[in-house]
Amino acid sequence: MKTPGNNNNMYVEAKRRALAPYASAMEGPVDAAVCVAYTDELPAAARTALAAACAGIGLDEPVFLDVRAATDEGAREGADEAAVRQACKNLFAAVEALDPLMLVAADARAAALLQAAYREPVAPGAHGFVFGRVYAAFSSFARDLVDPRMKQRDWAILKAMRKSAQWLS
């Protein structure tokens, strides 16, 4: 006879197991509607701004995914082709295990790796769909915070991303 665990929900258990290899790369609620992927350092001000932006578009706190940590350093500039391929596989697995409704690439390298992982365009400074998931991508969200015009542009991209997800209304 099977011994019941603390949580007998097979989907919760499957998600827990799928996320286990990436636990050190994640910060925030694993059931968040938004996943923010980043490769550049993401300072506290940028994290706070992204969390506030999520709240501003009617969503809860995002989960932050450090792509470098999730991909065993294969996301670093100058990594060999095999390391980048493995990094893309790991990134794909981590994002799919999180299964967010929306995806934010906080910097250009994260956008490029998401593009390679999903084999679909992920353009910095734009929003769209990747693998059926709404995304917004930035060249450097952290750097954009110091320029009021760029900050406004980023906010407009995030709002447009949200409007693309009409099923969330």
Side-chain angles (χ1 to χ4, degrees), residues 24-45:
S24 65
M26 296 178 299
E27 183 182 324
V30 297
D31 290 324
V34 179
C35 172
V36 177
Y38 65 95
T39 57
D40 295 342
E41 197 59 41
L42 200 58

Side-chain angles (χ1 to χ4, degrees), residues 11-112:
Y11 300 107
V12 171
E13 180 61 19
K15 184 170 188 167
R16 186 190 65 73
R17 287 180 185 211
L19 288 173
Y22 312 106
S24 65
M26 296 178 299
E27 183 182 324
V30 297
D31 290 324
V34 179
C35 172
V36 177
Y38 65 95
T39 57
D40 295 342
E41 197 59 41
L42 200 58
R47 288 171 186 263
T48 301
L50 283 162
C54 285
I57 59 175
L59 301 169
D60 292 333
E61 177 186 358
V63 60
F64 293 93
L65 178 65
D66 182 345
V67 174
R68 292 168 306 180
T71 60
D72 297 326
E73 306 301 318
R76 295 227 184 264
E77 289 288 339
D80 67 21
E81 190 176 324
V84 172
R85 250 192 329 273
Q86 187 60 49
C88 290
K89 286 179 184 178
N90 290 349
L91 178 57
F92 183 87
V95 172
E96 289 305 306
L98 285 166
D99 194 24
L101 298 173
M102 299 177 178
L103 188 57
V104 174
D107 56 70
R109 182 75 177 144

